[in-house]
Amino acid sequence: MGVLNVTPDSFSDGGRFADHGAAVDHAHRLVDEGAAVIDVGGESTRPGAPEVPVDEELARVLPVVEKLARTLPVPVSIDTSKPEVIRAAADAGAGLVNDVYALRRPGALEAAAASGLPVCLMHMQGAPRTMQASPEYADVVSEVEEFLHARMRACEAAGIDHERIVLDPGFGFGKTDAHNLALLRGLPRLAAVGPPLLVGLSRKSMIGRLTGRPVEQRLAGSLALALAAVAGGARIVRAHDVAETVDALRLWSVVYDPAAAGQGEER
Ligand code: 8Y7
């Protein structure tokens, strides 16, 4: 899953793709590099980020979703928590709803169910503005597992097919480095809940703390954690650096799952 930020204050792009044309071009490049889905987000969820009014979020993402849905050979994911944006993006041709609130905000579950789209349900403790203040868990893996299981059941009860659900532990969303590492080690337990696991570790601040590197120098760390996550059972990797991530995953697959590697055999 390639990340396409259309925010002026995004995590790692500094809003470089806030311009719609540049965003569309970047999405096409990510697909050329091997992305199987493009995640379009117009509301920064960076710790401490302010909330974006619905009109502003729609103005940022809708033209991009509309254009990409018509021109990309892969599905467009809409990264949002707002029912209005879910509905509008679905009408514009989006193929997946990626919600860091796991459809807990008023009206979101109903909007997602009515869209008929697959959903990614992510765990987050607290809300983006305050989540990194003092994350606390008695047992982070068990608590995230129980949360994801409960949200999966809530979605099924609302009419979303089991086959259309993806789960995500939400690395960095109300978690210390120790919590993130426990979740990485505990991924096999989360995978056992059933639905495929999506992980987002690309360029995240934990990598910065563990390596001492600024956001533009976190590629190697991101690749290492992507491979660790896949080894733990993750099925979808959300990444900014798609070409490099695809190479790393392809080589990992050649070693551990030769059948999946497919072509490219040489003597
Ligand atoms: C994640 C995410 C972000 C993640 C899912 C960033 C929108 C922060 N992180 N969605 N979104 N999982 N599903 O660093 O980990 O890109 S925003």
Side-chain angles (χ1 to χ4, degrees), residues 21 50 68 103 135 146-147 152 156 178 182 204 222 245 250 252-253:
L68 292 180
L103 304 176
E146 278 165 32
F147 172 90
M152 175 183 83
E156 291 167 355
K204 281 191 176 169
S222 300
T245 305
R250 203 162 263 157
W252 191 93
S253 301

Side-chain angles (χ1 to χ4, degrees), residues 85-173:
V85 179
I86 293 173
R87 278 192 288 272
D91 288 345
L96 173 73
V97 177
N98 175 32
D99 183 8
V100 299
Y101 278 89
L103 304 176
R104 285 176 294 155
R105 302 191 79 189
L109 181 55
E110 294 74 14
S115 76
L117 293 178
V119 298
C120 177
L121 308 171
M122 197 197 80
H123 176 273
M124 167 167 60
Q125 184 177 86
R129 217 165 53 72
T130 53
M131 65 191 177
Q132 289 305 102
S134 57
E136 272 182 49
Y137 302 84
D139 176 342
V140 66
V141 178
S142 297
E143 288 171 44
V144 168
E145 180 184 17
E146 278 165 32
F147 172 90
L148 293 176
H149 191 266
R151 293 311 298 160
M152 175 183 83
R153 291 285 181 242
C155 285
E156 291 167 355
I160 298 175
D161 283 355
H162 181 74
E163 289 69 30
R164 295 193 182 185
I165 295 173
V166 173
L167 303 179
D168 184 337
F171 291 105
F173 285 83

Side-chain angles (χ1 to χ4, degrees), residues 7-15 43-50 127-132 172-173:
T7 61
D9 64 342
S10 59
F11 251 56
S12 352
D13 290 312
E43 178 177 45
S44 174
T45 38
R46 159 229 258 118
R129 217 165 53 72
T130 53
M131 65 191 177
Q132 289 305 102
F173 285 83

